[in-house]
Amino acid sequence: MIRQLQKNEEIPYKLLLLADETIEAINRYINDSEIYIFENDNETIAVYALQKISDDTIEIKNIAVDTKHQGQGIGKLLLRDAISRAKAKGFKTIVIGTGDIAIKQLYLYQKEGFEIFDIKKSFYLDNYPNPIYENGIQLKDMVMLKKELI
Ligand code: COA
């Protein structure tokens, strides 16, 4: 049910925009990433993007589940799929970044074995033209988490 998007297929920006604020930000990584989609009855309902960072490390640059289908375990499924594909490709580490106030995401990633290893201070202030608010709090720093694959 999860498959890689082919180069000639349309990039699911609507879904990617659930996890990233602007198309410009998505375009900074999407053409160098492998995109994986989760389909249900021919409808794409979830996506993630993997980008090689170095010979040892791969990053989940985006992971998003259509709002109607959130909270049903699909995000966890995608995360596990990304981990097993990264392992199969021979990477030693998989990383993911999220907002400092993204409680649900931090919970999910740590539950799946990721550990915080870095904070990119002011990432959301420096990389986006407009302030981003979640639950009334301005997003400032990006929390980086990693999982060792061996
Ligand atoms: N608060 C805390 N934890 C929550 C939660 C909430 N409101 N909603 C769900 N969770 C937990 C679940 O309990 C689950 O763990 P458990 O079942 O073992 O208890 C875990 O999060 C995963 O739930 P799941 O149903 O697999 O998540 P999902 O399908 O909703 O996908 C996201 C998670 C983050 C990918 C999805 O919500 C999403 O697309 N959000 C918008 C885009 C985004 O923020 N992407 C991440 C960018 S870093």
Side-chain angles (χ1 to χ4, degrees):
M1 270 197 291
I2 299 173
R3 67 169 180 91
Q4 187 175 358
L5 194 78
Q6 301 305 303
K7 289 283 174 211
N8 60 348
E9 291 183 284
E10 213 171 300
I11 295 173
Y13 278 106
K14 204 172 148 214
L15 283 173
L16 294 166
L17 280 165
L18 293 173
D20 218 331
E21 220 41 37
T22 64
I23 289 188
E24 290 70 31
I26 294 167
N27 284 340
R28 280 183 221 137
Y29 58 77
I30 206 68
N31 293 311
D32 293 329
S33 301
E34 287 180 356
I35 304 168
Y36 293 89
I37 54 170
F38 179 97
E39 292 172 310
N40 191 18
D41 290 337
N42 282 331
E43 191 196 352
T44 302
I45 59 171
V47 65
Y48 71 86
L50 281 182
Q51 186 184 44
K52 180 179 171 176
I53 302 298
S54 71
D55 286 348
D56 288 344
T57 306
I58 197 161
E59 179 169 348
I60 301 173
K61 299 295 293 187
N62 191 308
I63 180 165
V65 178
D66 177 66
T67 45
K68 290 196 300 287
H69 297 91
Q70 287 178 9
Q72 297 168 16
I74 298 170
K76 197 190 291 185
L77 200 73
L78 293 187
L79 205 54
R80 290 183 178 175
D81 190 73
I83 292 165
S84 70
R85 285 182 203 264
K87 221 183 250 184
K89 287 172 188 288
F91 288 98
K92 294 198 175 85
T93 309
I94 185 165
V95 304
I96 190 164
T98 193
D100 50 353
I101 50 174
I103 299 299
K104 176 177 161 182
Q105 290 83 341
L106 285 167
Y107 173 86
L108 167 61
Y109 305 153
Q110 288 178 91
K111 206 161 176 188
E112 292 303 312
F114 285 79
E115 290 178 2
I116 295 171
F117 72 97
D118 194 17
I119 310 271
K120 290 186 180 169
K121 293 298 282 182
S122 305
F123 180 88
Y124 294 98
L125 306 180
D126 297 341
N127 286 282
Y128 293 87
N130 300 313
I132 304 167
Y133 289 92
E134 268 180 32
N135 299 321
I137 305 173
Q138 188 176 1
L139 212 52
K140 291 183 182 151
D141 306 332
M142 181 182 269
V143 179
M144 297 300 300
L145 300 101
K146 71 173 175 182
K147 181 178 167 77
E148 302 303 339
L149 298 170
I150 39 172

